[in-house]
Amino acid sequence: MAIGKSNKLSQAAMIKQMVKRCSSIGKRQHGYEDVPKGHFVVYVGENRSRYVVPITFLTRPEFQRLLQRAEEEFGFDHDMGLTIPCDEHFFQSLMSMLR
């Protein structure tokens, strides 16, 4: 059982590192200084609308599934920041549910 917990910790650490890298890229390039500590930026939908999301959402399985989809579709090495491949209305509903 300790091995499973170790894998979860390393997965969470890896996700946090990816978010930190992606959100800092967008911040440097677009000059966003309005992201509070403990939050990160994601871009969602066809228009790539910008959302500021609490880091605590990284522990939620629903949000982790979105991150897995983002990795599969876009990867994490691009200039736009972290882009979530889903409908904006769905994302807003999910954020409301997670809050």
Side-chain angles (χ1 to χ4, degrees), residues 55-97:
I55 286 179
T56 56
F57 285 6
L58 293 173
T59 61
R60 303 293 299 264
E62 302 90 341
F63 199 82
Q64 288 178 5
R65 281 192 289 277
L66 286 178
L67 291 176
Q68 288 170 348
R69 286 183 54 202
E71 181 181 24
E72 290 168 5
E73 188 162 330
F74 302 116
F76 288 111
D77 188 24
H78 56 86
D79 295 336
M80 179 69 182
L82 184 57
T83 304
I84 304 291
C86 72
D87 177 70
E88 192 171 352
H89 180 71
F90 171 80
F91 185 79
Q92 291 171 346
S93 296
L94 179 63
M95 294 302 100
S96 292
M97 182 193 76

Side-chain angles (χ1 to χ4, degrees), residues 4-65:
K5 187 172 185 177
S6 175
N7 286 341
K8 279 188 176 184
L9 290 176
S10 63
Q11 180 183 9
M14 184 176 69
I15 291 171
K16 284 181 184 179
Q17 183 65 17
M18 289 185 292
V19 167
K20 183 178 179 182
R21 183 176 37 158
C22 291
S23 62
S24 67
I25 289 169
K27 194 177 200 179
R28 281 194 313 262
Q29 289 188 343
H30 301 291
Y32 294 129
E33 300 296 330
D34 64 336
V35 180
K37 186 172 184 166
H39 292 73
F40 62 99
V41 173
V42 297
Y43 298 91
V44 179
E46 276 186 37
N47 297 325
R48 301 293 189 251
S49 298
R50 181 176 176 268
Y51 290 88
V52 178
V53 179
I55 286 179
T56 56
F57 285 6
L58 293 173
T59 61
R60 303 293 299 264
E62 302 90 341
F63 199 82
Q64 288 178 5
R65 281 192 289 277

